[in-house]
C-alpha cells in the first residue's frame, strides 16, 4: 500500500472535504498550501453541477485557496465533454440551473424542449414541476437520459439539501427508468480528470472526499488511492454498509497535511 506522502496529485472533493459553504474546514488551508509548497498538484473534482467552474475558482480564491480554471472539473463539465463525444451540436432538454445552461450553450449544445436528442438532469435548484413533467415525458418516450451525478444530498452549513440522486429516484418512480450517470464515481469524469493531469501515472493519484458512494468508490473504480475524510456526509459504518474499503480513513484533510509533512521530513 502506498503511503500518503508518495501521492503526487490529489483529486479533491470540495463540499464536506475542504469547505462547508463559505467556511474552510479545519486544516484545509494548511493542506492546500502545502500541496503547492511541496511541488505536488491537485484538481478539484466536484459533482455539484449547479455552478460552473468559475464559481468555484472565485469561491476557493476568496477562501484563500490558490485556484484557477485548470484546478476545477465539475460533473457538468464532464457531461458536456461526454455529450459532444456522442453527437456534435446535440439538442438537449436540460433540467439544470442557469449556470449549467450557460456551460452547455458555450460548448455548442442546443437547449430545447422540442425533439431533444438527450434529456439531462443536473443539480437543479431552479427545478419546477413543469420542467420535471416535461423531462419525465421525454424519458418515457425513450429519449436518452443522462444525469450529471448521483449524490443524494449536498452538504450545506446547517445540514443537507436534496441533490440530483434524490431527483433520479423521483423520476425512476414516475417513469421506471434510470439515467446514465457521468460524475463521480463513474468512468467518464475519471477519464477527464486523468486527461487534465496526464503527466502523472495512475499510482500517483489519490481521491479525497467525504462520500463513500461517490468519492471513495471513485478511487476504487479508478484503481487509485482513496482517502475518506469524516468531516462531511459519511461515517466509517458507511464503508461497511456499501461494501467499500478506503485506502485511508482520516478525520479531515488536516491529517493528510500532517502525514505529508512527516513523510517529506523523513525523506528530505
Amino acid at each position: 500500500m502506498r503511503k500518503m506522502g508518495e501521492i503526487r496529485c490529489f483529486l479533491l472533493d470540495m463540499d464536506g472535504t475542504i469547505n462547508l459553504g463559505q467556511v474552510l474546514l479545519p486544516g484545509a488551508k494548511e493542506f492546500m498550501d502545502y500541496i503547492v509548497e511541496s511541488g505536488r498538484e491537485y484538481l478539484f473534482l466536484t459533482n455539484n453541477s449547479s455552478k460552473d467552474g468559475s464559481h468555484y475558482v472565485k469561491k476557493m480564491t476568496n477562501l484563500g485557496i490558490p485556484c484557477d480554471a485548470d484546478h476545477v472539473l465539475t460533473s457538468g463539465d464532464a457531461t458536456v465533454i461526454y455529450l459532444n463525444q456522442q453527437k456534435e451540436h446535440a439538442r438537449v432538454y436540460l433540467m439544470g440551473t442557469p449556470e449549467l445552461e450557460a456551460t452547455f450553450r458555450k460548448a455548442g449544445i442546443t437547449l430545447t424542449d422540442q425533439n431533444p436528442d438527450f434529456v439531462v438532469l443536473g443539480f437543479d435548484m431552479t427545478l419546477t414541476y413543469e420542467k420535471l413533467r416535461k423531462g419525465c415525458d421525454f424519458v418515457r418516450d425513450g429519449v436518452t437520459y443522462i444525469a450529471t451525478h448521483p449524490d443524494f444530498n449536498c452538504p450545506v452549513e446547517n445540514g443537507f439539501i436534496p441533490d440530483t440522486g434524490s431527483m433520479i429516484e423521483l423520476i425512476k418512480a414516475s417513469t421506471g427508468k434510470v439515467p446514465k450517470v457521468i460524475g463521480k464515481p463513474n468512468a467518464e469524469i475519471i477519464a477527464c480528470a486523468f486527461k487534465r493531469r496526464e503527466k502523472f501515472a495512475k499510482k500517483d493519484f489519490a481521491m479525497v472526499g467525504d462520500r463513500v458512494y461517490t468519492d471513495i468508490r471513485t478511487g476504487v473504480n479508478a484503481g487509485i488511492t482513496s482517502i475518506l475524510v469524516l468531516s462531511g456526509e459519511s461515517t466509517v459504518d458507511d464503508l461497511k454498509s456499501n461494501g467499500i474499503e478506503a485506502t485511508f480513513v482520516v478525520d479531515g484533510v488536516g491529517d493528510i497535511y500532517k502525514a505529508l509533512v512527516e513523510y517529506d521530513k523523513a525523506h528530505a
Side-chain angles (χ1 to χ4, degrees):
M1 182 174 71
R2 289 179 67 76
K3 296 179 180 179
M4 282 193 198
E6 295 177 297
I7 302 302
R8 305 311 302 168
C9 185
F10 291 89
L11 303 179
L12 302 170
D13 179 52
M14 283 185 272
D15 293 315
T17 301
I18 300 297
N19 64 288
L20 278 178
Q22 300 301 317
V23 180
L24 282 178
L25 288 165
K29 174 64 173 170
E30 294 83 356
F31 172 56
M32 296 304 304
D33 285 347
Y34 193 73
I35 289 178
V36 176
E37 178 186 333
S38 63
R40 295 176 173 89
E41 293 191 22
Y42 68 91
L43 177 64
F44 287 125
L45 197 64
T46 178
N47 268 356
N48 190 338
S49 61
S50 68
K51 305 293 184 182
D52 62 17
S54 64
H55 166 84
Y56 294 106
V57 170
K58 182 178 180 180
K59 183 174 184 176
M60 290 295 114
T61 301
N62 287 344
L63 289 172
I65 301 299
C67 186
D68 58 31
D70 186 54
H71 287 116
V72 178
L73 177 66
T74 73
S75 64
D77 296 331
T79 300
V80 163
I81 292 169
Y82 175 79
L83 287 169
N84 282 334
Q85 289 171 341
Q86 301 305 303
K87 184 175 182 177
E88 289 187 9
H89 309 297
R91 295 168 56 84
V92 171
Y93 179 75
L94 176 63
M95 289 174 277
T97 59
E99 290 91 339
L100 188 59
E101 290 177 356
T103 297
F104 275 52
R105 289 194 178 99
K106 186 176 179 180
I109 294 170
T110 298
L111 301 183
T112 181
D113 62 358
Q114 302 293 323
N115 302 313
D117 302 308
F118 302 92
V119 173
V120 176
L121 173 66
F123 181 19
D124 189 3
M125 292 183 288
T126 64
L127 187 65
T128 64
Y129 191 86
E130 183 62 13
K131 288 169 75 173
L132 185 62
R133 181 191 67 77
K134 286 183 180 180
C136 286
D137 284 346
F138 287 131
V139 170
R140 285 193 202 92
D141 288 343
V143 177
T144 302
Y145 171 33
I146 294 168
T148 56
H149 63 288
D151 300 47
F152 290 109
N153 292 298
C154 178
V156 292
E157 290 180 50
N158 59 347
F160 298 95
I161 57 175
D163 205 330
T164 302
S166 299
M167 299 302 107
I168 289 173
E169 292 301 312
L170 188 158
I171 293 173
K172 178 183 176 183
S174 177
T175 67
K177 297 184 178 182
V178 295
K180 177 178 180 59
V181 182
I182 302 300
K184 297 179 291 184
N186 297 288
E188 288 74 18
I189 196 167
I190 296 169
C192 290
F194 286 170
K195 185 69 174 176
R196 284 276 191 96
R197 296 292 182 269
E198 60 186 353
K199 73 178 183 180
F200 294 108
K202 185 181 291 188
K203 64 181 178 61
D204 296 323
F205 287 91
M207 180 69 221
V208 183
D210 68 300
R211 292 184 182 91
V212 167
Y213 65 93
T214 53
D215 300 316
I216 303 310
R217 191 175 289 280
T218 294
V220 173
N221 289 350
I224 62 176
T225 297
S226 59
I227 306 175
L228 175 65
V229 294
L230 302 177
S231 51
E233 182 177 321
S234 294
T235 67
V236 172
D237 289 339
D238 290 322
L239 290 169
K240 297 176 183 177
S241 62
N242 282 274
I244 300 173
E245 185 173 339
T247 312
F248 301 100
V249 179
V250 297
D251 288 333
V253 293
D255 293 326
I256 306 176
Y257 160 67
K258 293 175 184 176
L260 296 183
V261 171
E262 290 177 5
Y263 179 89
D264 289 351
K265 285 182 178 178
H267 294 80

